Amino acid sequence: MIRKSVLLFGMMLSISIASMAQKFALIDMEYILKNIPAYEMTNEQLSQMSKKWQGEVEALQQEAQNMYKSYQSELVFLSAEMKTKREEDIVKKEQEAQELKRQYFGPEGELYQKRSSLMKPIQDEIYEATKEIAEEKGYQAIVDRASAVSIIFASPRIDISNEVLTKLGYSK
């Protein structure tokens, strides 16, 4: 029993000593990105594209709604064959709108691809600057405060966001 306690105490002591030897730092990716003008310009460009594409999708949806309203008002005058044809046209237009929406805004859509192509160089630059600082200062891990939900408190002394900005050429 005592032997197990001593062994357990020894293991806990060695783990705590090992963890003390490691150096950690934090960055706030949102803060860094807000201070990079290229990021703001990219966001604006993506916003304009998104608005334009949303307008195209909404125009198709409006067209489908207008076709449906017209169909409803003329319903009593249409033959069974004409009703079927008009219903098919309406469904086709609605599907067209959904397909366009998926093409622009879907998981592999044009907006996603454009965002990736425009943001990747910025993110790569931040990664490289962070990596260089980690290597220079001997950090074993650098955590992004903006995405690490489980961080309850972190000392501002270990936040190296401004160092990353300086390394990128944006002094704060």
Side-chain angles (χ1 to χ4, degrees), residues 3-129:
R3 183 177 175 166
K4 285 184 182 179
S5 297
V6 170
L7 184 60
L8 183 62
F9 178 74
M11 285 177 39
M12 296 296 270
L13 183 62
S14 64
I15 290 172
S16 66
I17 289 172
S19 67
M20 282 187 234
Q22 295 179 6
K23 288 177 69 177
F24 298 95
L26 291 175
I27 60 170
D28 187 338
M29 190 64 84
E30 288 176 10
Y31 171 77
I32 292 170
L33 290 171
K34 284 179 185 172
N35 286 286
I36 297 177
Y39 175 75
E40 294 298 323
M41 290 187 318
T42 298
N43 262 349
E44 183 58 34
Q45 186 179 354
L46 290 170
S47 177
Q48 294 301 320
M49 254 184 246
S50 179
K51 286 177 186 173
K52 177 183 174 264
W53 290 340
Q54 185 64 35
E56 290 177 28
V57 170
E58 287 173 0
L60 273 179
Q61 290 172 333
Q62 186 61 50
E63 214 175 306
Q65 280 183 338
N66 292 343
M67 288 171 70
Y68 182 71
K69 286 177 184 175
S70 171
Y71 166 76
Q72 281 186 317
S73 66
E74 299 169 3
L75 190 61
V76 291
F77 305 111
L78 300 174
S79 67
E81 188 177 293
M82 290 173 72
K83 286 178 187 177
T84 304
K85 171 76 171 105
R86 297 275 291 273
E87 288 169 357
E88 288 171 356
D89 289 345
I90 293 168
V91 168
K92 185 178 175 184
K93 188 59 74 175
E94 288 172 341
Q95 288 172 339
E96 221 179 291
Q98 286 304 314
E99 176 58 27
L100 188 63
K101 186 175 185 177
R102 188 197 60 72
Q103 177 186 337
Y104 286 149
F105 303 106
E108 295 298 319
E110 289 183 40
L111 185 63
Y112 172 81
Q113 291 174 1
K114 193 69 171 173
R115 177 177 281 122
S116 294
S117 71
L118 293 172
M119 293 296 189
K120 185 164 177 23
I122 296 169
Q123 291 169 333
D124 288 349
E125 244 187 302
I126 294 169
Y127 171 78
E128 286 304 319

